[in-house]
Amino acid sequence: MKTKAHKRQIIKYAVFKYAVRFALVLSLIALAAVLVFVAARGAPHINTRLLFGDYGKYPSIKPALAGTLYLILISVLIAAPVGIGSAVFLTEYTKTKSRPVRIIRIAVETLAGIPSIVYGIFGYLVFVIALGFNYSLAGGGITLAIMILPVIVRSTEESLLAVPNTLREGSFALGSSKVRTIFSVVLPCAASGIVTSLILATGRVISESAVLILTVGMVVNKMPANISSPGTSLALDVYYFGSNGYPEEAAATGAVLLVLVVSINILATLTGKLYGKGELANG
């Protein structure tokens, strides 16, 4: 026979279960609404002229595609080795519960929570003005590298901590050095999480706008000659087209940007699954 307390527990569980389901459905509806609306408004206006045309004759996102590629290369090439190296140091060469490590982790968490516009102001004051970069893709890329660095450090550290200590101990027992163990055992086992973090960081670079407004100059009508030239990105083109009387181009650029971000997230998920299957097969 069920007691009143037991019945109350059942009711609470049922209410919680349906509330969670409702929240999930609501989130999926919101996501689907954004995807469908942007796709429906932008897809009909996507064409080769918009993607690869000469901006001197009509609006085109060709300079934005080139600028976005530059920004990805600069930011990831800078942030990836620094972020992965920092995570390796924190997990493999320090005591995880020591005070300095806790302070560093708090600092990383704080940096991860700083609004992107603050990074933009920092990049503007340091790279554009103090160091004389002026508005350039280099300054924007370095600022983005600083912004995505905490994301890479946190994700990589979590992946490294997930590697069982028995693998490290087995490698040491076979006579391997610390460095050899890290590169031959630990990093390969954590590769799925590291690759996923890099892909997600790339997605954030593509979708960022506040930082770039203050650092790259938002030159939408000219192809960048090199990384020291001012430029633009897809996210900046959405803002520019929308605020200068090009609603169709803004919607189309938003659709292209959305496709890239969704594709990157799917790629990150698939990469993690493939690496996971590979590790299981090797194991």
Side-chain angles (χ1 to χ4, degrees):
M1 184 176 178
K2 296 180 179 179
T3 63
K4 291 183 179 180
H6 184 56
K7 289 181 179 179
R8 285 197 296 268
Q9 289 294 333
I10 294 175
I11 294 173
K12 289 180 180 179
Y13 172 76
V15 171
F16 177 76
K17 180 176 69 174
Y18 287 110
V20 170
R21 290 181 178 178
F22 176 76
L24 174 62
V25 172
L26 192 63
S27 301
L28 294 176
I29 291 174
L31 176 62
V34 172
L35 294 176
V36 171
F37 179 80
V38 175
R41 294 293 298 271
H45 305 293
I46 298 176
N47 49 54
T48 55
R49 186 180 70 177
L50 176 71
L51 295 175
F52 309 110
D54 183 4
Y55 193 94
K57 297 180 180 179
Y58 31 73
S60 170
I61 62 174
K62 184 178 178 180
L65 292 172
T68 301
L69 180 60
Y70 275 125
L71 292 171
I72 292 173
L73 292 175
I74 295 170
S75 58
V76 174
L77 287 177
I78 294 174
V82 176
I84 296 173
S86 300
V88 169
F89 176 78
L90 289 174
T91 56
E92 303 298 326
Y93 289 97
T94 59
K95 296 181 179 180
T96 56
K97 295 183 179 180
S98 63
R99 185 174 181 181
V101 173
R102 291 201 303 269
I103 294 174
I104 293 173
R105 288 201 177 108
I106 292 173
V108 171
E109 294 289 341
T110 303
L111 288 174
I114 293 177
S116 58
I117 190 64
V118 176
Y119 285 103
I121 295 173
F122 170 80
Y124 174 75
L125 295 175
V126 174
F127 300 114
V128 177
I129 296 180
L131 298 181
F133 282 25
N134 298 319
Y135 290 113
S136 65
L137 293 170
I142 297 173
T143 307
L144 286 174
I146 298 172
M147 188 184 72
I148 65 175
L149 186 60
V151 177
I152 296 176
V153 172
R154 288 194 308 172
S155 300
T156 303
E157 187 180 5
E158 291 174 1
S159 300
L160 294 174
L161 291 174
V163 177
N165 283 327
T166 52
L167 296 178
R168 297 179 177 87
E169 294 170 357
S171 179
F172 293 146
L174 293 174
S176 298
S177 63
K178 184 78 170 180
V179 175
R180 185 177 180 84
T181 298
I182 292 172
F183 281 94
S184 300
V185 177
V186 179
L187 288 179
C189 291
S192 61
I194 296 173
V195 172
T196 300
S197 69
L198 294 179
I199 296 175
L200 294 177
T202 301
R204 186 171 182 184
V205 170
I206 292 175
S207 59
E208 186 55 50
S209 60
V211 170
L212 302 179
I213 290 176
L214 297 173
T215 54
V216 304
M218 201 164 64
V219 178
V220 301
N221 57 355
K222 183 180 179 181
M223 285 290 293
N226 48 56
I227 62 174
S228 62
S229 304
T232 185
S233 69
L234 290 172
L236 291 183
D237 268 16
V238 174
Y239 170 77
Y240 177 83
F241 289 143
S243 59
N244 287 276
Y246 298 101
E248 296 179 353
E249 287 76 7
T253 306
V256 173
L257 179 60
L258 187 61
V259 168
L260 286 176
V261 173
V262 172
S263 300
I264 285 174
N265 281 273
I266 294 175
L267 178 62
T269 303
L270 294 177
T271 301
K273 290 182 178 179
L274 289 176
Y275 269 101
K277 290 180 180 179
E279 290 173 8
L280 290 175
N282 293 331

